[in-house]
Amino acid sequence: MEGVHVITPDYINVHITRSDGEDGAPVERRFKKAISVLEFKTKLELVTGGSASTMKIKVYDNKNNFVCDVDNDSALLGSYPIDEGMRIHVIDNFALVKDFASSDSAERFRLSEEEYEKKGDTLRSFLQRNKLGKYNEEEMTKLKEQQQQELEEEANLAAKVLVGARCEVRAPRQPPRRATVRYNGPLAGARGLWIGVQYDEPLGKNDGEVNGKRYFTCPPNYGGFVKPVYVTVGDFPEEKYDLEDEI
């Protein structure tokens, strides 16, 4: 439709699992939609220990329904229908890494650091030879630069959100919710900056307290914490909701 523009966030938060099922709980990571699928696979090497050249990627929604395969290395990640909170399932041959890992801890316990370094069949030596994880200096540098850029962009957005301002929260797959900004800053144990809001209606998850630490005070279920990218500050008068009419 002419004149209508759909704006979506530049980054996507997803949950990552492996086909061998050895990782336990899914790992949450944030990726830029503008990277290529090949770059995405390379970044997944750091999380899963798999190889970008052989891994296959499947996407599942929040109800564990299959969405699509991510199979075009030259395509942009954002060209696939991957929404916030979906699961990225990586299929690859992790057996070699797993076999190393199963005995590596005991081996390191028995040997001194110098003796461990001399061995050629350890998990560390395998990762070093194949330039995986923290031993891929080029990729680790890129990752740190990307993380720094993300934090700077987030800080710029957060600087425009003043405590006491009226706002509208537009989170993925949720209707817009009006609120008042009550907090702006970091949360203990969470990455980056967060905006604490008091919603106009009881559609929040807390009363301004998270994991035993209080950041602001409001009635129960009126409080919430969201990333700055989802908060729009402006002239948003408080709306009156007749909750008694709702089922």
Side-chain angles (χ1 to χ4, degrees):
M1 183 175 178
E2 187 176 355
V4 176
H5 300 279
V6 178
I7 301 175
T8 61
D10 294 332
Y11 295 87
I12 187 73
N13 290 288
V14 295
H15 301 280
I16 303 167
T17 55
R18 285 174 25 168
S19 58
D20 63 0
E22 292 293 321
D23 281 348
V27 177
E28 184 175 358
R29 288 291 186 274
R30 188 168 183 242
F31 298 96
K32 197 166 187 175
K33 291 182 179 179
I35 63 175
S36 70
V37 169
L38 182 57
E39 289 179 278
F40 180 52
K41 288 181 177 180
T42 302
K43 294 179 186 298
L44 288 176
E45 286 183 340
L46 303 175
V47 182
T48 66
S51 171
S53 62
T54 58
M55 71 172 59
K56 295 181 180 180
I57 301 175
K58 293 183 177 293
V59 181
Y60 295 85
D61 64 18
N62 295 332
K63 295 183 180 179
N64 208 34
N65 297 314
F66 174 73
V67 176
C68 66
D69 289 307
V70 180
D71 50 11
N72 184 350
D73 286 352
S74 61
L76 295 181
L77 179 61
S79 67
Y80 286 88
I82 305 175
D83 289 331
E84 190 81 3
M86 284 189 173
R87 180 167 66 91
I88 301 296
H89 188 60
V90 179
I91 301 174
D92 203 354
N93 180 14
F94 304 105
L96 186 55
V97 175
K98 183 173 65 176
D99 290 343
F100 273 125
S102 62
S103 60
D104 193 65
S105 295
E107 188 76 12
R108 292 188 64 179
F109 181 78
R110 291 195 302 268
L111 301 175
S112 67
E113 187 69 18
E114 183 177 355
E115 291 173 324
Y116 181 81
E117 281 288 353
K118 291 179 180 179
K119 290 181 63 63
D121 58 350
T122 64
L123 174 60
R124 180 186 296 175
S125 62
F126 172 78
L127 294 176
Q128 287 174 332
R129 284 197 307 272
N130 292 277
K131 295 184 178 180
L132 294 175
K134 65 181 181 180
Y135 300 106
N136 187 329
E137 295 183 5
E138 181 179 354
E139 184 58 35
M140 290 303 294
T141 298
K142 289 182 180 179
L143 182 60
K144 289 179 180 179
E145 290 176 350
Q146 177 188 334
Q147 291 175 340
Q148 183 61 35
Q149 182 181 354
E150 291 176 9
L151 291 175
E152 291 175 358
E153 292 174 355
E154 191 168 76
N156 289 332
L157 291 174
K160 302 174 184 177
V161 183
L162 301 180
V163 173
R166 289 289 297 169
C167 70
E168 190 169 71
V169 177
R170 301 168 183 170
R173 299 187 304 281
Q174 293 184 5
R177 290 173 289 173
R178 293 188 176 184
T180 300
V181 179
R182 297 299 186 198
Y183 174 79
N184 185 333
L187 296 181
R191 184 172 177 269
L193 299 173
W194 295 79
I195 306 299
V197 299
Q198 179 177 335
Y199 292 109
D200 293 349
E201 53 181 325
L203 294 177
K205 296 183 178 181
N206 54 63
D207 62 353
E209 179 179 316
V210 178
N211 295 328
K213 184 172 181 179
R214 181 162 297 282
Y215 297 89
F216 64 93
T217 300
C218 71
N221 299 323
Y222 276 80
F225 292 88
V226 294
K227 301 302 285 183
V229 69
Y230 301 132
V231 178
T232 301
V233 173
D235 182 16
F236 297 106
E238 184 174 352
E239 296 180 339
K240 301 299 182 182
Y241 298 91
D242 189 357
L243 298 178
E244 293 182 358
D245 290 342
E246 296 185 4
I247 296 177

